[in-house]
Amino acid sequence: MTPTTKTGAGVPRRGRLRLFTSSDATAKPTRPVSAGLQLSDIIGNLTITRGGQVTAWYLASPVRWSFQSMGDRNSLILAHAQRLAELAGHRIHIRVTHRPYPVARWAADLHAGVIDPLPTWAQYLADEQRKVARLPLDDKVVYYGVRVGRITSAGRAVQKLVRGAVDRQLKALQRDITDVDRIMSGPGMSAVPTTASDMDWLMTRSLGLCLPAPLDTRPQPNDRWRADDLHEWTSGTEWTSPSPYSGHILVSGDRHGRRVTRHVAVLTLGRMEWPAIPESGHGPWLQSLDQLPFGYEASATVDIREATEAGNEILSQLDAVRHQVRHHREHGIEVPISLGRQAATGREIEDDIRSGPTGLSARTKGWYRIAISAPTEEELRERITRLSERYGTHCAVQHPSGQYALAREFIPGEPLASDAYARRMPVRTLGGSLPAVSASVGDRRGFNLGYTSGTARRPVMWHPWHSQEVREASGLTPILGTLGSGKTVLGGATVYHTSQMGVPWVVLDPSGPVRRLCSLPELRPYSKAIDLMASEPGTLNPYRIVPDPDPGHYTAELYRYEDNPRQAADRAYRQEAQRARGIRRTLATDVLMGMLPPAVARTAETALVMHKAAERADTSVHGSPRYVIEQLRKLDGSHSEHAQDIADLLESAADLPQGQLVFPSVDGDDQYTTRHWRLVVLNLRGLALPSTDTAREDWSVEEQYAMPLLYLAAWYAQRSIYARDLHDRKGLWLDEGHVLGRVSSGRELLRKSGRDSRKHNARFLLSTQDGQDVIAAGIENWIDSLLVGRTTGIEAQRAALRLLNVELGAGYEEMLAGLSPQAHGDTKRRGDREFVFSDGAGGIERITVPLRHRPALLQALDSTADPHAARAAAGPWSSVGVSEEART
């Protein structure tokens, strides 16, 4: 910052940095900029001013607010207020800034974590970097500075002669510092003393106020800075004013090899009338700044006052109000409404001070500043308006003069610019500011899933295999949402991104649109869409699609914590082999029962003979449903005649095209198909799935056979994770999960996929319309992450919230129904789809999944009917039955 001449009111005192105005263009710097700062030393997390004031700085841990219960939110506010109350007698400085996460670093980390990506990976990564660069990929950093005391002027003089003089005086303050350390580390703050890097960042962002943040911080050899070290932050930075009494200042600095200038305005919060938080539905009042579509810096200077001290002042003011009220009444004059309101408010404050909760009756006096910037004055005015609208009628946002002095408050150690606009409030109200609340979900390791659209707008990265490889968690991710919520787009986007990363996927696509992924140019050479309805006979043989366990997956190393690892591994292998035989028997029974007429399948006698025949049939991987028919014909006794009838019905079903997929003519092995391709989409085009509202008695023959074929196709897809190496990353996506949970074999499939996903390093996506299907399937305990789209119906909403572990009845049901709202106008479709994302590591946020930067991918995953597209493909004369050839 260049020290220059200030004109107009509020001329700074001698020895402080002065302001350069446009009318003083010939002014020359006469002294180092550091001479104008009050700050003189930084020792560890302590800052010392020229006047000897010592402030301890702490870094607050991020706090989650989204989707917390009302009780948890109140607990956060009260815990924060309690910590503040324990600092009574101290002045604290709250600084909110942001630390950017370089997009290039994210891309480099993502690239380092992929294994054998596709040849188009380099272009894909470049495209994703451009997309992410348009979003604020940064972390909110919240500092608390607590004034802990003062060193004497004598010690300051001795410092020049004896290097350890300050250290000895600081040692005398150690008891107070230790006490503050204890308070700041408690619940509600969870703050830790700042490191050298943290202090460097605080000074960088304060002296370069609102300038673009440097992407790389300087290396710090130690944690001690003296006055002559401050040039590292002030060199090349200049604060000027475009005119006297201007409503903003110009901040210029060198960033990334070029000179950058920003118009910076400092606003202050005036009169406040906050509704009850969180009961009113409003969030923390300082955290709401995160919802601004542009960057900001915040600074607050707060005096935490003892209840008795503040009470005496308030009671004195209240006495004055009472005298005025009495004076009006003595003269028979009606008491003004404003005066009556002041008297009522004073009585409430008096009661709060005298009988409020222990430790929370403290009062605060604070000054709250917000700095925003823009490249131009016009844009800055627009942003000031946006900020005022952000707080609405709950808080008056003031734009005072003396901008230079107000901006100085953002620098550690600088005094208040003015005592004006002081806000007095209970410590509980200040506790409701919660500046450390942040939108945090996902990780910084994986592909860009989208961006948060609730409390803030931040990119959301997700690495679907980090849970299995690092956190040793499951890989099950249900995708919930009603029709049109975007489940297909979300699942398809996940498959696309991770296929680029080199991960093989098998997708069960009952309705058909996902097969278009295989036609994208970048995926076409490595993908295969298989039409199961046109496959070889026996492709969906229920005995063959359930593989035997691989002995190589049951090594002693995996059971090294058992008393006898080798014996434990053998026992686990035998149990899994036995479970596979049981699954084949159950699956074959369910499938064959599904091929019988409903009236026949419901009888107890049918269930009895089918159970006996399945028990006697071969349950190895070489088995066949035809063996069950053979056993039915061999049954004797009182049920033999009925068994013969069932066998005849199944023989007839085996002759149908759908039945031929189940009953093999010969045995074979087609696992090479799923192993060879990176992306395999199993398609069931032409399969007529019955509506959930249709009774089974009303199903057509096609619908009757469709159900067991879907079960078998799901098992066929699931088998793929066992055909690859145990440690390789792999993915499985099953659609129509609500259908799979209707029978025992389908529920067992879902449980097995969820249970085995960690051991086999597989990400298992399960799309379904209702969370109740997930609960009924018994896989709730294996859920790692969860994505919930637009959900209607109170029971479906409650089930989704239960899976999210979110409180019922707190208004989140309406929020689920409002995701991905319909665009205004009946001719417009919904835009980007929204989901609630629970990342499995404690983060839950509302996110938006955009694909506009990849129009080909979006078009491929679009499952909405478009008759115009079909007509355009067929030609303009198709509607009247005339071909192009005939017309010409």
Side-chain angles (χ1 to χ4, degrees):
M1 272 181 272
T2 303
T4 49
T5 303
K6 180 181 177 79
T7 60
V11 177
R13 293 173 295 175
R14 183 173 181 175
R16 298 178 61 189
L17 182 63
R18 293 178 293 174
L19 178 65
F20 176 73
T21 66
S22 59
S23 60
D24 193 8
T26 61
K28 300 292 184 181
T30 58
R31 60 195 302 187
V33 66
S34 57
L37 297 178
Q38 290 297 307
L39 186 65
S40 63
D41 293 89
I42 300 177
I43 302 175
N45 71 315
L46 304 178
T47 58
I48 305 173
T49 66
R50 298 180 182 278
Q53 292 174 349
V54 180
T55 301
W57 288 89
Y58 301 87
L59 195 65
S61 299
V63 177
R64 180 169 71 88
W65 179 266
S66 299
F67 298 98
Q68 293 273 37
S69 68
M70 199 69 68
D72 290 340
R73 288 180 170 181
N74 273 311
S75 296
L76 285 174
I77 293 174
L78 292 177
H80 187 220
Q82 185 66 49
R83 298 289 82 74
L84 292 170
E86 292 182 46
L87 295 172
H90 293 274
R91 168 168 284 192
I92 65 174
H93 188 188
I94 304 174
R95 272 290 280 118
V96 180
T97 185
H98 298 82
R99 186 189 294 271
Y101 188 89
V103 176
R105 186 183 304 170
W106 160 73
D109 292 343
L110 177 60
H111 177 72
V114 301
I115 300 173
D116 192 21
L118 296 183
T120 55
W121 172 251
Q123 183 59 49
Y124 163 86
L125 196 57
D127 294 340
E128 289 300 298
Q129 287 185 76
R130 283 189 287 269
K131 179 187 75 169
V132 175
R134 294 192 290 268
L135 295 172
L137 183 57
D138 56 28
D139 297 311
K140 183 164 67 171
V141 186
V142 179
Y143 294 88
Y144 285 87
V146 183
R147 189 176 295 179
V148 293
R150 182 189 297 269
I151 60 176
T152 65
S153 57
R156 301 292 302 162
V158 173
Q159 178 191 4
K160 298 179 180 179
L161 301 175
V162 183
R163 186 175 183 86
V166 173
D167 293 339
R168 285 194 292 270
Q169 292 205 51
L170 290 178
K171 189 175 181 179
L173 295 174
Q174 190 58 47
R175 178 178 296 179
D176 293 335
I177 295 173
T178 301
D179 190 47
V180 172
D181 287 349
R182 175 189 57 80
I183 295 172
M184 297 301 293
S185 64
M189 286 286 189
S190 299
V192 297
T194 54
T195 64
S197 177
D198 297 329
M199 293 305 299
D200 174 66
W201 188 253
L202 174 61
M203 295 299 297
T204 300
R205 298 301 291 147
S206 298
L207 290 165
L209 187 64
C210 292
L211 287 178
L215 298 181
D216 297 305
T217 56
R218 293 182 295 271
Q220 301 300 324
N222 53 56
D223 58 355
R224 182 185 292 262
W225 289 270
R226 299 173 62 86
D228 52 359
D229 295 324
L230 302 182
H231 297 284
E232 294 187 21
W233 295 299
T234 58
S235 178
T237 303
E238 184 180 45
W239 291 15
T240 60
S241 176
S243 64
Y245 307 105
S246 172
H248 68 278
I249 64 173
L250 298 177
V251 179
S252 302
D254 298 324
R255 289 292 185 269
H256 317 306
R258 61 190 180 93
R259 192 69 175 172
V260 179
T261 300
R262 289 290 182 267
H263 296 71
V264 179
V266 180
L267 310 176
T268 188
L269 300 185
R271 179 179 51 82
M272 302 178 181
E273 294 182 1
W274 298 110
I277 298 173
E279 290 77 10
S280 64
H282 290 81
W285 51 271
L286 268 182
Q287 179 272 332
S288 63
L289 293 169
D290 292 345
Q291 300 180 31
L292 294 171
F294 46 82
Y296 72 91
E297 298 277 328
S299 173
T301 303
V302 184
D303 290 331
I304 311 296
R305 311 178 68 187
E306 296 283 359
T308 54
E309 176 191 355
N312 292 335
E313 179 182 331
I314 292 172
L315 293 178
S316 176
Q317 296 175 358
L318 182 57
D319 285 340
V321 173
R322 287 170 176 165
H323 284 306
Q324 293 181 52
V325 172
R326 186 181 305 114
H327 183 73
H328 279 76
R329 290 174 177 170
E330 287 176 353
H331 292 276
I333 302 175
E334 185 177 357
V335 178
I337 295 176
S338 60
L339 191 61
R341 185 167 57 247
Q342 292 177 30
T345 302
R347 288 193 296 271
E348 292 178 3
I349 295 174
E350 180 184 15
D351 178 71
D352 182 66
I353 292 175
R354 290 178 172 175
S355 60
T358 303
L360 294 179
S361 58
R363 310 290 296 183
T364 69
K365 180 181 179 181
W367 298 262
Y368 304 93
R369 321 293 193 196
I370 304 168
I372 57 177
S373 67
T376 65
E377 288 190 53
E378 181 179 358
E379 189 174 352
L380 180 61
R381 285 192 293 269
E382 293 176 356
R383 293 185 174 184
I384 292 174
T385 302
R386 294 286 295 272
L387 175 59
S388 300
E389 294 173 347
R390 173 69 257 168
Y391 279 112
T393 59
H394 302 300
C395 179
V397 178
Q398 306 293 339
H399 189 184
S401 58
Q403 288 284 296
Y404 173 77
L406 288 170
R408 293 283 298 244
E409 290 185 17
F410 288 77
I411 304 174
E414 295 300 304
L416 278 171
S418 169
D419 193 55
Y421 301 109
R423 297 296 97 199
R424 296 171 174 84
M425 64 183 69
V427 72
R428 284 173 295 178
T429 302
L430 179 58
S433 63
L434 285 175
V437 165
S438 180
S440 178
V441 68
D443 51 52
R444 295 288 170 83
R445 302 173 182 86
F447 69 93
N448 177 232
L449 182 62
Y451 58 87
T452 57
S453 50
T455 57
R457 180 166 170 149
R458 299 283 184 271
V460 178
M461 313 307 185
W462 184 39
H463 195 303
W465 291 271
H466 179 72
S467 297
Q468 302 91 306
E469 297 172 356
V470 178
R471 293 195 288 111
E472 297 184 346
S474 165
L476 173 59
T477 302
I479 303 177
L480 311 180
T482 189
L483 293 173
S485 61
K487 298 188 300 295
T488 299
V489 172
L490 176 61
T494 302
V495 170
Y496 175 85
H497 290 301
T498 52
S499 293
Q500 291 279 2
M501 295 167 59
V503 178
W505 278 87
V506 174
V507 180
L508 176 61
D509 178 31
S511 54
V514 183
R515 74 181 186 277
R516 294 196 291 266
L517 280 176
C518 300
S519 300
L520 293 176
E522 56 269 42
L523 297 182
R524 186 184 299 132
Y526 316 99
S527 307
K528 184 174 182 62
I530 300 176
D531 186 358
L532 287 177
M533 301 300 293
S535 298
E536 294 294 325
T539 298
L540 299 181
N541 176 2
Y543 291 90
R544 189 172 56 177
I545 62 178
V546 179
D548 283 324
D550 187 342
H553 295 168
Y554 298 85
T555 62
E557 173 64 20
L558 296 176
Y559 298 87
R560 57 186 178 277
Y561 300 112
E562 300 289 340
D563 294 337
N564 189 330
R566 182 66 266 171
Q567 186 178 7
D570 292 341
R571 182 171 60 252
Y573 171 73
R574 290 194 300 271
Q575 290 175 349
E576 189 61 28
Q578 184 178 2
R579 183 182 291 112
R581 292 192 293 272
I583 291 173
R584 294 187 192 107
R585 182 169 52 249
T586 302
L587 181 58
T589 303
D590 287 341
V591 168
L592 296 179
M593 291 284 282
M595 292 184 167
L596 296 174
V600 176
R602 278 200 310 269
T603 65
E605 189 175 16
T606 300
L608 178 62
V609 298
M610 286 295 298
H611 178 73
K612 287 184 177 181
E615 284 283 349
R616 298 177 182 180
D618 180 14
T619 57
S620 72
V621 73
H622 302 292
S624 168
R626 295 191 183 277
Y627 297 161
V628 178
I629 296 177
E630 292 178 5
Q631 294 300 325
L632 284 171
R633 298 196 182 281
K634 293 179 181 179
L635 287 179
D636 52 12
S638 58
H639 301 295
S640 61
E641 184 176 351
H642 186 72
Q644 293 293 330
D645 294 337
I646 298 299
D648 292 339
L649 289 173
L650 293 177
E651 288 281 9
S652 300
D655 294 333
L656 297 175
Q658 299 94 324
Q660 291 178 6
L661 294 172
V662 179
F663 295 88
S665 55
V666 295
D667 187 36
D669 179 16
D670 61 351
Q671 290 189 14
Y672 170 80
T673 300
T674 56
R675 283 199 303 262
H676 181 67
W677 301 94
R678 293 288 186 96
L679 171 60
V680 176
V681 178
L682 304 176
N683 185 256
L684 293 171
R685 285 185 298 172
L687 197 67
L689 291 174
S691 170
T692 55
D693 301 327
T694 305
R696 184 174 180 181
E697 293 79 4
D698 299 328
W699 289 356
S700 66
V701 175
E702 290 78 9
E703 292 174 335
Q704 176 185 332
Y705 287 167
M707 297 297 289
L709 291 180
L710 181 60
Y711 309 149
L712 294 172
W715 276 98
Y716 183 87
Q718 196 265 0
R719 179 187 63 171
S720 63
I721 70 173
Y722 301 99
R724 297 182 181 273
D725 186 85
L726 185 70
H727 302 287
D728 287 350
R729 295 170 182 171
K730 55 192 77 72
L732 172 66
W733 177 21
L734 300 181
D735 204 354
E736 305 293 348
H738 61 283
V739 178
L740 300 176
R742 292 183 180 180
V743 295
S744 58
S745 59
R747 293 189 293 272
E748 176 60 29
L749 166 66
L750 300 180
R751 288 192 291 267
K752 181 175 177 60
S753 298
R755 182 175 61 245
D756 292 350
S757 58
R758 182 190 65 82
K759 182 172 66 176
H760 288 270
N761 201 17
R763 176 55 58 176
F764 174 31
L765 302 182
L766 176 66
S767 300
T768 184
Q769 297 180 19
D770 196 334
Q772 296 179 93
D773 303 323
V774 176
I775 297 172
I779 58 176
E780 186 175 353
N781 291 336
W782 286 301
I783 293 178
D784 167 60
S785 50
L786 179 66
L787 289 141
V788 181
R790 185 166 56 90
T791 303
T792 56
I794 187 63
E795 294 303 324
Q797 291 167 351
R798 288 175 177 174
L801 293 176
R802 172 181 166 182
L803 295 176
L804 287 167
N805 196 25
V806 170
E807 180 183 31
L808 302 178
Y812 296 119
E813 292 85 352
E814 293 81 0
M815 187 275 300
L816 292 181
L819 293 174
S820 305
Q822 180 67 53
H824 295 293
D826 56 4
T827 61
K828 295 182 179 180
R829 294 170 54 185
R830 290 186 177 89
D832 297 332
R833 298 302 195 262
E834 293 180 307
F835 290 84
V836 176
F837 180 34
S838 173
D839 61 11
I844 305 178
E845 290 289 343
R846 178 173 176 170
I847 70 170
T848 298
V849 181
L851 285 180
R852 297 180 184 179
H853 69 299
R854 296 191 180 278
L857 175 61
L858 182 60
Q859 183 178 6
L861 295 173
D862 189 356
S863 59
T864 304
D866 185 1
H868 300 288
R871 178 175 297 181
W877 297 90
S878 59
S879 59
V880 293
V882 180
S883 66
E884 286 289 324
E885 292 79 2
R887 186 184 68 82
T888 56

